[in-house]
Amino acid sequence: MAKNSYDIVALPGDGIGPEVLACALKNLQVAGSVAGVDFKIQEIQCGGHYYVEHETEWPEGSFEKCEAADAILLGAVGHEVDGKTAFTKPGKPYPEPQLAGFAQVIGNRKKLDLYANVRPVKLYPGVTHKIHGKLKQVWEAGKVDYVVVRENTEDAYTGEIEVIEDGRVTPIRITRRATERVTRFAFNLARHRNKQLKVTCVDKSNIIGAHRFFRDVFREVGEREFPDVTLDYAYVDAFCQWQIRNPEWYDVVVAPNLAGDIISDNGATTAGGLGLAVGGNIGDEHAMFEPIHGSAPKHAGKDKANPLAAILSMQMMLDWLGTRHKDERLTRAAGIVEAAVAAVIKDGKTLTYDLVGEERAAKCSEVGLAVEEKIRSIAAD
Ligand code: IPM
Ligand code: MN
């Protein structure tokens, strides 16, 4: 049901996370005022730096706050000291298999059962690609528009480590339940997009038995429940070159966790880089949205990072909330935010270094403000 006020938990995290999230939250307030909806934002300090200081991932009760929220927005996690990933204070080992600062990402994905990681690979007109250190348009807008649906709870990400005499074993775990629900999600998404009505299963089933099971379940679900959707298959290594050469072939792509992690970053290259790449971690009851770039410690605190990925994650959140609560106001606001981002990109005047080069670069906060202005002007039209 539609509500007049939605509770959002904001997790700024480490590095550039707080800067880009601040832009996204300001834009969220503008979108809220345009939609006539109130957003109550609760910010929780967290991430690797928080762990190093407090020896705990985040303040007590934080997970419960995430659980109670209507949606979660994450900045980035990953803390570095002197160019090295810092998991803990010197001399204090972090208990395996957890990694400091990852409670927000891996912990929330698992504990809130956010089983589908939805990562659009969409090229907006005017975006340039950074190749050989130079910016030029390589791929064509309209020819890069597919969505990676990454299984988000298992595969090599269960955190299990078995100690063996000569090393460590991390299993690749694929279950029927997790595969059925994520492939069903992908098929439904293809129907909802109503473009090519095609889902490509990307895996390493030629060699990994567990991935063979993933592919078999994908086929079963597709043939049984989605006769209107075309089933397509690719091995992940080959897919990595096809998604660069022929992105127009793809509509919805579904993959086990680790393969999905890799192909979504690779795909981001064709859509303007990680500064524009977005992900929604979606379950049946909860969802968390995040830019898929990391914490980029070397750019932190410089007001330099591209905030558009964070703003587009907020946009995905609006869209998800609109569908979930049957709230047309949010669905409309999501459309306006996307149009505003597209317009700022097309104008090309206020963009960060990754899209226009250092000389013409605008600041992170300036890009955020440019999107705010566009939201207001598009809404007023
Ligand atoms: C991502 C990230 C994470 C992942 C890391 C931070 C654990 O790369 O969201 O894609 O591998 O899932
Ligand atoms: Mn990743």
Side-chain angles (χ1 to χ4, degrees):
M1 281 294 288
K3 313 201 273 185
N4 284 328
S5 172
Y6 292 88
D7 292 320
I8 307 299
V9 161
L11 303 171
D14 300 309
I16 60 169
E19 299 160 48
V20 295
L21 195 70
C23 289
L25 293 175
K26 282 178 71 196
N27 273 280
L28 175 63
Q29 297 297 13
V30 176
S33 70
V34 158
V37 175
D38 188 33
F39 291 103
K40 291 212 171 56
I41 295 163
Q42 201 173 3
E43 226 172 280
I44 300 178
Q45 296 313 310
C46 60
H49 78 279
Y50 192 91
Y51 188 87
V52 169
E53 274 163 44
H54 300 91
E55 290 183 33
T56 172
E57 304 273 12
W58 46 8
E60 223 183 298
S62 297
F63 174 73
E64 290 71 17
K65 287 181 182 159
C66 289
E67 204 174 16
D70 289 306
I72 306 163
L73 255 187
L74 175 86
V77 294
H79 180 52
E80 278 188 10
V81 177
D82 298 333
K84 288 202 193 95
T85 304
F87 292 132
T88 181
K89 283 200 174 109
K92 291 225 171 194
Y94 198 86
E96 275 189 293
Q98 294 162 283
L99 294 171
F102 284 16
Q104 295 78 45
V105 179
I106 303 295
N108 273 353
R109 284 178 188 168
K110 270 199 202 119
K111 294 206 283 190
L112 297 174
D113 214 13
L114 311 176
Y115 59 84
N117 195 332
V118 181
R119 297 183 159 184
V121 180
K122 180 171 176 179
L123 175 58
Y124 289 94
V127 167
T128 48
H129 301 95
K130 197 171 198 174
I131 308 287
H132 296 314
K134 288 188 208 95
L135 288 157
K136 61 177 180 181
Q137 202 181 301
V138 181
W139 289 271
E140 291 170 36
K143 290 198 171 176
V144 183
D145 183 8
Y146 58 95
V147 182
V148 174
V149 177
R150 162 185 178 191
E151 200 289 320
N152 217 21
T153 63
E154 53 179 27
D155 192 51
Y157 275 72
T158 63
E160 293 164 78
I161 293 184
E162 185 198 338
V163 178
I164 57 166
E165 201 191 344
D166 194 28
R168 299 280 191 277
V169 177
T170 291
I172 292 177
R173 184 178 297 280
I174 305 281
T175 64
R176 172 172 291 278
R177 173 173 173 268
T179 310
E180 280 187 354
R181 64 186 182 174
V182 79
T183 52
R184 209 169 268 137
F185 187 103
F187 286 118
N188 279 320
L189 179 61
R191 275 188 185 159
H192 180 75
R193 281 165 63 82
N194 200 17
K195 293 194 168 167
Q196 300 186 47
L197 277 170
K198 175 163 73 187
V199 181
T200 307
C201 182
V202 175
D203 54 50
K204 191 68 186 167
S205 57
N206 49 344
I207 190 69
I208 299 175
H211 281 200
R212 202 139 54 233
F213 182 75
F214 187 92
R215 187 177 278 215
D216 288 346
V217 173
F218 164 82
R219 185 183 290 110
E220 272 175 42
V221 171
E223 287 177 355
R224 183 177 67 226
E225 299 169 30
F226 300 89
D228 51 322
V229 180
T230 303
L231 308 191
D232 183 48
Y233 303 89
Y235 298 132
V236 61
D237 45 350
F239 179 83
C240 283
Q241 43 111 36
W242 288 329
Q243 73 179 143
I244 299 294
R245 290 209 315 230
N246 268 338
E248 62 271 28
W249 178 261
Y250 302 107
D251 179 11
V252 174
V253 171
V254 69
N257 210 340
L258 182 59
D261 179 39
I262 295 165
I263 62 175
S264 51
D265 276 27
N266 199 38
T269 308
T270 60
L274 288 175
L276 288 166
V278 184
N281 302 271
I282 297 177
D284 292 331
E285 303 302 331
H286 303 275
M288 174 171 77
F289 299 84
E290 52 175 336
I292 72 176
H293 57 63
S295 57
K298 69 174 181 205
H299 297 316
K302 296 184 183 156
D303 196 13
K304 170 174 188 186
N306 190 346
L308 293 178
I311 294 171
L312 286 169
S313 330
M314 178 278 283
Q315 187 272 343
M316 252 184 121
M317 178 182 85
L318 288 175
D319 195 50
W320 179 81
L321 283 170
T323 306
R324 177 170 170 80
H325 294 275
K326 300 194 174 48
D327 192 336
E328 284 295 328
R329 299 168 303 176
L330 295 183
T331 307
R332 178 173 167 270
I336 293 174
V337 174
E338 190 184 18
V341 169
V344 167
I345 291 173
K346 204 162 184 196
D347 280 358
K349 288 190 226 103
T350 317
L351 294 170
T352 43
Y353 74 98
D354 52 322
L355 296 175
V356 291
E358 299 282 354
E359 269 166 33
R360 290 179 46 214
K363 293 186 171 135
C364 172
S365 53
E366 289 168 343
V367 176
L369 281 173
V371 180
E372 285 177 41
E373 270 164 37
K374 282 278 189 240
I375 293 175
R376 288 199 190 91
S377 68
I378 294 173
D381 268 356

